[in-house]
Amino acid sequence: MKNDEIVGLLKGEFGEAVKASAELSGDLTVKVDLSKLHEILQFLRSCPSLEFDYLPFMTAIDYSVYPKPKTKEAEAKLKEVKTKEEKIKEDEEKLTEAKEEEAESLKEEIQKLKEEIVKAKEEAEKLKEEAKEEEREKQFDVVYQLRSIKHSHDIRIKAEVGEEDIVESATDIWSSTGCDECEIYDMFGIKFKNHPDLRRILMPEDWVGHPYRKDYPLKGKEGDDEYLDTRLPEGQLKKPEHTRMP
Amino acid sequence: MIGIEETKRVRINMGPQHPATHGVGRFILTLNGEIIEDVKPICGYLHRGLEKLAENMTYQQFMPIVDRLDYVASMNNDLAYCLAIEKLLGMEVPERAEYIRILIAELGRIASHLIWLGTMALDIGAMTPYFYTFRDRETIYDMFEEICGARLMYNYVRMGGVSNDITPKFMEMLKHFLDTFPKLMKESDGLLTKNRIWMSRTKDVGVINYDDAISWGLSGPCLRGSGVNWDLRKNRPYGIYPSLDFDIPYLPEGDVYARYLVRLEEINQSVRILRQCVEKIPSGGDYMNPESPFVRPMKKPKEGIALKDFVLQIRGVKAPAGEVYFGAENPKGELGFYIVSDGAGKPYRMKIRTPSFVHVFALPVIVKGGLIADIVSVISSLDFVFGEVDR
Amino acid sequence: MIKEHILFADLIKGLSITIKKLFGPSVTLHYPIQRRELPERMRFLHKLDLTPEGKIKCIACGICERICPPKCIKMTRGTREDGKKGLTEYEIDIGRCIFCGLCVEVCPEEAISMTNIYELATYNKADTVYTMDRLVRDVPEEKKAEVR
Ligand code: SF4
Ligand code: SF4
């Protein structure tokens, strides 16, 4: 089935819950609403013309430090406007003391600046409008990569998830999500309901924190050393000493 | 009288250092007499946080780390990673490099399958094939050594080509290998395939049917051993595989013996691919895309070295913002890289989809209800490596 | 199949292969008495190369230090004895090195290369850190001071 046909079918069935779709280097990506996520997955699995029976992987992404170039640009534009406004004020103060010849050129300058301000403000508004796309309400995305072995097509489903949200487990649809959900729970702290055996699988059971989150430091938190101290034999090296690189 | 119902459940630990677990994995088995009632895989002993590491390294720097995923088929890991990055950057690869890549990938596949064959025979109790397969694997490693200078962690494939050209000596060795290897392969085949002990240990053991195999996400030879005709080299073709002539073996039984036969046949098909490549490989031409930003500064003409080359090596190549998933058919199954880029020189997030991780967690459904003596052969036939499971 | 089972054909076939191997040539080497010939491209212990005048080629640009994935190179820039600025110290911790060869690949001056010296085990952990003196291998011990 062609990509646009799949999207059409999904939109026809779920309407508003299918938020956006895009084709990124040949992969079809569809963003859906979290509340309808499980229904949509079930539909994708059972609809005879789609029949996504194979799940290569599922994962999560922490978007908390994802760069927002347009928001940044809009902010820079607004800053520019402010400096210009200040300059106008300065010029006006000067105008009161200035002589006739100078006053003429100053007035011209003020006129110019005012025009520029109007223009810059308009641009900033536009950028702000565009930057709204970058804004996210929730921190994480869960990603399901699906494939149909029968019809040989692929799709990627994404849904925004917050820290408090509980996602419905997809183990009843694809059994292979079991281990992936455990990994996500372990590494990102996203919880799943109806999962048969949700536990930390890669980190120790009593580990604090979720390592793949962006606020988790690469070299481990303070206090990790103490954790290791209680578990490693005495005198064992924990940190490499020989380097001056970060 | 003590009936079967009154036997107590026994819980035993398998691993973390059991030779049959192919690494440091641990399985908690719940037994009822000799019957396995439940298996709980415990992993993480080899967890290195590679996905987090990748977020803090440039694309080029992560290259040697990828070797450490499945350390018996490093060349294939390299290739899968490079293909994923090339998909993200939209990079071209010269024809000669494409052929070299297929050569090394198929050699890597043979080497990995040989290790699997040897260790599986060893696990089940046949010691001799182990020596024969390791002898043949050694000749493949010698070839790899000749072209890239390492025996296990190759770091050979580069984004846009390969790091070094193949040498005439390599081609000679390869031709010699292709002449002698099929005969040597017959030895292991003759020792095992028809052997009555081997057959009784593997036939109708560890059965997983068509639907379960798909639902549990098995991939590679394990999936094809359950009758699914699915190979990424054919179904999602990459490189120059479409121009080559080879078959995908698959068997409907879904037991250990079927997986064994599929892998044996895959070795033969790899030899077939290698023969075609040796014939078709262009004798000259680039082995690396000269436009590739990953070309090292010193390989460019001397006057061409500029500050921007230095910056490129330090900051990394800026990839366009976006996300890609690329899965390649590795000896063990589908190795996929899901890369989210935010436009910087490092990936924003990288998920590595490894076949072994999925296979380990599919183990309970395969062995449930079987005998405890069979779990070893099932584990061997799934062929997982814990470097890949824990990442 | 049945015929094979009654006549033990499968076992006889396997045994004949094993017995044949008993009289074949040996495929192993008697290390350390025998040693393999290593290919040119072998990636083992590093070596700092010298210019024709016998000085160290390295210009202390620091790319190798940056790109090294496990960060095992430590390089110090400073004023040398002859008053010029340049490389004063260069250390590689072989214990952390993964022998990936990236440092050799990125060096713009081809100042560092890899040799095929592979017996690197030591009794002392401090010996795994190779200083500049130990990394220069082309000149005899007495002349090492001159290469700087
Ligand atoms: S070979 Fe690799 S790990 Fe070793 S010093 Fe060079 S860059 Fe670092
Ligand atoms: S990259 Fe080469 S020249 Fe630069 S510091 Fe390293 S060895 Fe010296």
Side-chain angles (χ1 to χ4, degrees):
Chain A
M1 221 177 186
K2 292 268 167 52
N3 282 350
D4 37 339
E5 284 172 6
I6 298 175
V7 176
L9 203 65
L10 269 179
K11 281 215 167 117
E13 191 77 14
F14 292 98
E16 285 288 285
V18 178
K19 276 183 188 159
S21 69
E23 214 166 301
L24 301 163
S25 32
D27 305 351
L28 175 65
T29 309
V30 177
K31 264 200 139 172
V32 302
D33 204 44
L34 179 64
S35 55
K36 281 274 170 66
L37 175 65
H38 195 255
E39 276 174 49
I40 289 175
L41 292 179
Q42 220 146 27
F43 174 74
L44 285 169
R45 173 71 184 86
S46 55
C47 175
S49 60
L50 296 173
E51 212 165 327
F52 287 99
D53 47 6
Y54 189 80
L55 183 132
F57 74 90
M58 76 173 273
T59 185
I61 305 166
D62 181 356
Y63 272 109
S64 54
V65 295
Y66 198 82
K68 295 169 182 164
K70 288 211 173 116
T71 323
K72 236 184 203 172
E73 236 176 274
E75 270 166 17
K77 271 269 147 62
L78 284 178
K79 220 180 197 178
E80 212 178 282
V81 171
K82 236 179 211 168
T83 50
K84 272 177 189 161
E85 272 172 355
E86 268 163 29
K87 189 138 194 260
I88 290 178
K89 256 185 203 164
E90 264 176 42
D91 284 355
E92 273 170 355
E93 267 168 33
K94 269 188 204 161
L95 197 61
T96 51
E97 296 159 15
K99 286 169 199 161
E100 259 176 44
E101 278 167 38
E102 280 176 22
E104 200 81 338
S105 66
L106 272 174
K107 263 181 195 166
E108 253 172 47
E109 207 178 315
I110 290 172
Q111 200 59 34
K112 228 188 215 168
L113 279 170
K114 271 184 181 164
E115 271 167 27
E116 272 174 18
I117 285 175
V118 172
K119 232 187 214 171
K121 266 188 180 165
E122 262 174 27
E123 270 173 39
E125 286 293 304
K126 223 190 231 169
L127 279 169
K128 257 192 179 171
E129 246 346 85
E130 283 173 25
K132 263 183 196 159
E133 282 173 20
E134 291 173 349
E135 289 301 324
R136 303 172 53 90
E137 285 170 19
K138 295 173 176 175
Q139 191 182 352
F140 303 105
D141 258 4
V142 279
V143 183
Y144 296 79
Q145 173 86 26
L146 309 179
R147 177 181 296 157
S148 165
I149 286 198
K150 200 170 174 191
H151 303 294
S152 188
H153 48 222
D154 298 69
I155 193 174
R156 194 179 301 138
I157 304 285
K158 290 173 114 185
E160 278 188 30
V161 179
E163 207 171 330
E164 301 81 33
D165 289 333
I166 295 177
V167 186
E168 197 157 335
S169 165
T171 36
D172 53 338
I173 312 173
W174 300 280
S175 313
S176 62
T177 51
C179 54
D180 285 330
E181 278 167 7
C182 280
E183 194 192 342
I184 293 172
Y185 167 72
D186 190 354
M187 292 305 174
F188 292 92
I190 299 171
K191 291 190 193 67
F192 292 88
K193 68 178 172 200
N194 300 337
H195 187 285
D197 179 21
L198 197 63
R199 60 182 162 111
R200 281 184 177 264
I201 51 170
L202 293 178
M203 302 305 280
E205 295 271 311
D206 52 351
W207 193 266
V208 184
H210 302 287
Y212 286 177
R213 282 194 187 179
K214 285 285 175 185
D215 55 359
Y216 195 94
L218 179 65
K219 276 194 175 161
K221 304 189 301 308
E222 279 174 43
D224 280 2
D225 275 0
E226 285 149 39
Y227 175 89
L228 288 174
D229 271 338
T230 55
R231 283 163 175 81
L232 284 181
E234 207 173 306
Q236 187 158 338
L237 213 62
K238 282 165 304 206
K239 267 189 196 157
E241 281 157 7
H242 177 90
T243 181
R244 68 182 181 93
M245 283 278 119
Chain B
M1 231 184 92
I2 302 173
I4 272 291
E5 307 84 66
E6 284 167 44
T7 25
K8 279 207 184 114
R9 305 236 175 328
V10 183
R11 210 174 250 207
I12 62 167
N13 247 329
M14 191 173 168
Q17 264 105 6
H18 191 280
T21 52
H22 297 223
V24 271
R26 178 176 161 213
F27 301 95
I28 299 175
L29 316 178
T30 312
L31 301 176
N32 181 358
E34 257 195 297
I35 311 283
I36 298 169
E37 290 214 324
D38 196 16
V39 180
K40 189 177 173 191
I42 309 243
C43 51
Y45 294 96
L46 221 57
H47 178 58
R48 292 150 292 177
L50 291 190
E51 289 168 22
K52 181 95 177 171
L53 260 182
E55 289 166 17
N56 291 281
M57 279 182 173
T58 61
Y59 291 108
Q60 175 73 77
Q61 265 180 317
F62 193 60
M63 192 78 227
I65 316 289
V66 173
D67 288 339
R68 274 117 185 121
L69 279 173
D70 170 6
Y71 39 73
V72 296
S74 295
M75 281 290 192
N76 301 67
N77 299 349
D78 280 4
L79 182 56
Y81 177 67
C82 282
L83 286 166
I85 306 281
E86 277 159 16
K87 189 175 172 187
L88 180 67
L89 295 170
M91 201 183 278
E92 297 267 307
V93 181
E95 201 190 349
R96 185 171 167 80
E98 291 273 23
Y99 276 97
I100 297 175
R101 283 171 169 206
I102 304 293
L103 280 181
I104 56 156
E106 293 306 319
L107 278 174
R109 190 181 313 277
I110 294 176
S112 169
H113 281 351
L114 283 176
I115 293 186
W116 155 81
L117 180 59
T119 49
M120 180 171 173
L122 191 66
D123 288 345
I124 290 183
M127 191 128 185
T128 327
Y130 182 79
F131 298 115
Y132 298 164
T133 56
F134 269 58
R135 173 200 60 203
D136 300 342
R137 182 192 78 134
E138 215 48 27
T139 56
I140 295 178
Y141 279 14
D142 284 349
M143 277 185 249
F144 284 163
E145 205 177 44
E146 172 67 29
I147 52 171
C148 72
R151 290 184 78 76
L152 209 58
M153 303 297 166
Y154 307 110
N155 186 20
Y156 177 61
V157 189
R158 289 284 181 283
M159 283 66 99
V162 293
S163 75
N164 271 315
D165 204 354
I166 52 173
T167 57
K169 197 178 166 205
F170 170 81
M171 285 312 274
E172 241 169 64
M173 287 161 99
L174 179 60
K175 274 174 197 157
H176 180 69
F177 174 78
L178 289 178
D179 288 342
T180 53
F181 177 66
K183 262 183 246 149
L184 297 172
M185 204 49 222
K186 283 218 178 87
E187 284 175 2
S188 321
D189 187 47
L191 278 171
L192 296 175
T193 309
K194 284 276 156 60
N195 187 299
R196 62 187 67 192
I197 306 169
W198 183 262
M199 279 165 92
S200 60
R201 284 298 304 271
T202 53
K203 270 207 162 170
D204 295 327
V205 167
V207 181
I208 182 161
N209 62 24
Y210 186 98
D211 291 334
D212 273 354
I214 290 178
S215 171
W216 280 94
L218 298 189
S219 52
C222 300
L223 187 65
R224 293 193 282 278
S226 292
V228 186
N229 185 4
W230 181 268
D231 189 309
L232 291 168
R233 286 174 294 171
K234 281 262 194 232
N235 298 72
R236 298 276 180 280
Y238 54 90
I240 51 157
Y241 276 118
S243 70
L244 298 169
D245 178 29
F246 62 102
D247 299 327
I248 306 299
Y250 65 101
L251 288 170
E253 285 91 1
D255 57 359
V256 175
Y257 195 61
R259 293 194 274 275
Y260 162 76
L261 289 179
V262 164
R263 284 207 179 88
L264 273 197
E265 185 52 34
E266 243 172 54
I267 294 182
N268 294 340
Q269 294 300 329
S270 288
V271 171
R272 210 171 131 198
I273 295 174
L274 284 172
R275 286 225 172 92
Q276 293 171 35
C277 281
V278 169
E279 251 171 49
K280 281 190 192 167
I281 187 166
S283 54
D286 284 335
Y287 59 87
M288 179 86 177
N289 185 349
E291 303 292 312
S292 160
F294 293 97
V295 178
R296 53 172 156 171
M298 61 177 267
K299 281 217 172 151
K300 292 180 180 170
K302 250 311 187 230
E303 62 272 12
I305 303 174
L307 188 65
K308 80 173 199 303
D309 291 321
F310 286 78
V311 175
L312 207 61
Q313 296 298 339
I314 292 166
R315 298 257 163 83
V317 177
K318 293 225 167 14
E323 52 181 65
V324 290
Y325 173 71
F326 180 84
E329 186 73 27
N330 261 32
K332 302 217 162 31
E334 176 182 353
L335 178 72
F337 288 88
Y338 173 58
I339 301 169
V340 181
S341 161
D342 60 351
K346 302 167 182 173
Y348 183 78
R349 163 111 175 92
M350 183 186 292
K351 158 82 185 169
I352 307 170
R353 188 265 185 215
T354 56
S356 302
F357 183 60
V358 184
H359 288 179
V360 166
F361 286 87
L363 182 70
V365 10
I366 303 179
V367 296
K368 232 174 243 178
L371 296 176
I372 182 170
D374 291 336
I375 188 170
V376 176
S377 60
V378 175
I379 287 176
S380 314
S381 77
L382 286 180
D383 191 20
F384 40 69
V385 158
F386 270 85
E388 230 180 11
V389 176
D390 298 339
R391 301 190 295 284
Chain C
M1 183 83 177
I2 290 166
K3 209 170 115 200
E4 265 176 10
H5 265 235
I6 294 167
L7 294 175
F8 291 99
D10 53 335
L11 296 186
I12 289 169
K13 193 180 174 195
L15 258 177
S16 69
I17 292 170
T18 318
I19 290 171
K20 227 187 273 164
K21 285 286 151 197
L22 197 61
F23 301 105
S26 148
V27 289
T28 48
L29 276 184
H30 296 276
Y31 180 84
I33 305 157
Q34 284 178 320
R35 272 158 206 271
R36 284 187 58 228
E37 238 180 71
L38 293 175
E40 244 176 71
R41 290 179 184 168
M42 238 32 227
R43 297 202 312 248
F44 289 118
L45 183 62
H46 304 70
K47 185 180 93 183
L48 282 176
D49 289 338
L50 303 179
T51 56
E53 293 91 58
K55 297 277 181 212
I56 283 180
K57 267 188 190 170
C58 176
I59 52 168
C61 66
I63 294 190
C64 54
E65 192 185 24
R66 282 291 185 137
I67 201 150
C68 179
K71 305 284 177 232
C72 66
I73 299 180
K74 184 174 169 187
M75 189 206 67
T76 325
R77 284 187 214 92
T79 320
R80 287 185 303 204
E81 279 154 27
D82 57 358
K84 281 181 194 159
K85 290 232 162 145
L87 185 76
T88 53
E89 240 179 83
Y90 195 95
E91 281 179 14
I92 297 181
D93 185 352
I94 292 296
R96 275 172 73 70
C97 176
I98 56 174
F99 299 99
C100 60
L102 283 182
C103 52
V104 177
E105 200 156 299
V106 296
C107 178
E109 295 290 314
E110 301 185 40
I112 185 165
S113 58
M114 277 169 141
T115 59
N116 52 15
I117 301 163
Y118 55 89
E119 284 147 326
L120 300 171
T122 59
Y123 284 107
N124 193 347
K125 188 147 191 284
D127 287 348
T128 58
V129 179
Y130 276 68
T131 53
M132 197 149 128
D133 282 346
R134 290 172 75 195
L135 286 171
V136 176
R137 310 193 72 87
D138 290 343
V139 291
E141 211 45 60
E142 325 71 85
K143 291 194 180 164
K144 287 246 165 114
E146 290 171 20
V147 299
R148 290 180 182 237

